[in-house]
Amino acid sequence: MEETGIIRRLDALGRIVIPREFRKLNRIEVGDPLEMRALDGGEIVIRKVNLSAQLKSVGTLALQALAPHIQKTVAVCSLTDWLLSTGGKNALTGELPESVAQAAQEHKPSVLVCNQAGIPDKREHAAVYPVWGDTGVFGALVLFSDSVPDSAENALLETVARLVGAGLQKF
């Protein structure tokens, strides 16, 4: 690993600014969780925390709770990857299409047409329900269907997405 250094002074409140170049290079956005560790020898390490494992864990519980009420495929995604779904052998994996990440960032449910949004699914629609908290968007729950979700499905998925976001807020 190549070392690059910039010297910053600690202000009167004990804060330092992480330079914009470092934030861009490491894709650190406002609200992202950062971990600080003090090492032997006086070194302090700051690293971006990846909440995908926590989202996957809490998302698993959410999918288990939804299963008796929704007979459709529901997936959980971070802002970069599909994490898990109820789709069995046709489960989504890999990189998340930009259209889904953008829909999640809007903080409100939205419905995408799968083939137009670059989503590899045989169903026509993907309804995106953002999972978010006070610090930003963590990912989304995505409901796949051949029809636009009805009001009951919308209410249920939006409520579960908010609960998942609240569960992740503590991390």
Side-chain angles (χ1 to χ4, degrees):
M1 182 172 115
E2 184 179 318
E3 291 188 29
T4 37
I6 295 176
I7 296 174
R8 294 291 171 123
R9 298 217 181 266
L10 196 66
D11 73 8
L13 296 175
R15 300 175 296 199
I16 59 168
V17 174
I18 299 172
R20 180 181 345 175
E21 299 85 9
F22 286 10
R23 294 190 317 258
K24 278 179 117 177
L25 181 67
N26 294 289
R27 289 185 230 137
I28 297 172
E29 303 290 333
V30 172
D32 284 351
L34 301 175
E35 177 186 27
M36 295 173 52
R37 289 182 181 247
L39 304 178
D40 293 339
E43 291 180 290
I44 297 172
V45 176
I46 300 173
R47 73 174 183 91
K48 183 177 176 179
V49 176
N50 183 347
L51 291 177
S52 292
Q54 288 86 355
L55 179 56
K56 192 172 184 175
S57 176
V58 177
T60 299
L61 297 173
L63 294 185
Q64 289 171 350
L66 282 170
H69 307 287
I70 298 282
Q71 304 305 315
K72 299 175 181 174
T73 299
V74 180
V76 177
C77 62
S78 68
L79 293 177
T80 57
D81 297 297
W82 294 108
L83 300 177
L84 61 127
S85 73
T86 60
K89 66 179 181 179
N90 296 327
L92 293 164
T93 57
E95 193 173 324
L96 189 73
E98 183 64 29
S99 58
V100 179
Q102 286 176 348
Q105 293 282 12
E106 293 179 12
H107 284 80
K108 62 180 183 179
S110 56
V111 178
L112 305 173
V113 176
C114 289
N115 64 2
Q116 293 174 358
I119 301 168
D121 195 85
K122 64 182 185 250
R123 278 142 306 204
E124 189 173 342
H125 296 97
V128 180
Y129 300 87
V131 172
W132 57 281
D134 294 338
T135 58
V137 176
F138 304 114
L141 298 180
V142 182
L143 174 68
F144 294 94
S145 176
D146 285 323
S147 59
V148 175
D150 62 29
S151 60
E153 290 170 327
N154 274 330
L156 181 59
L157 270 291
E158 191 170 358
T159 300
V160 172
R162 287 182 183 203
L163 289 171
V164 171
L168 290 172
Q169 194 62 47
K170 66 180 179 181
F171 293 104

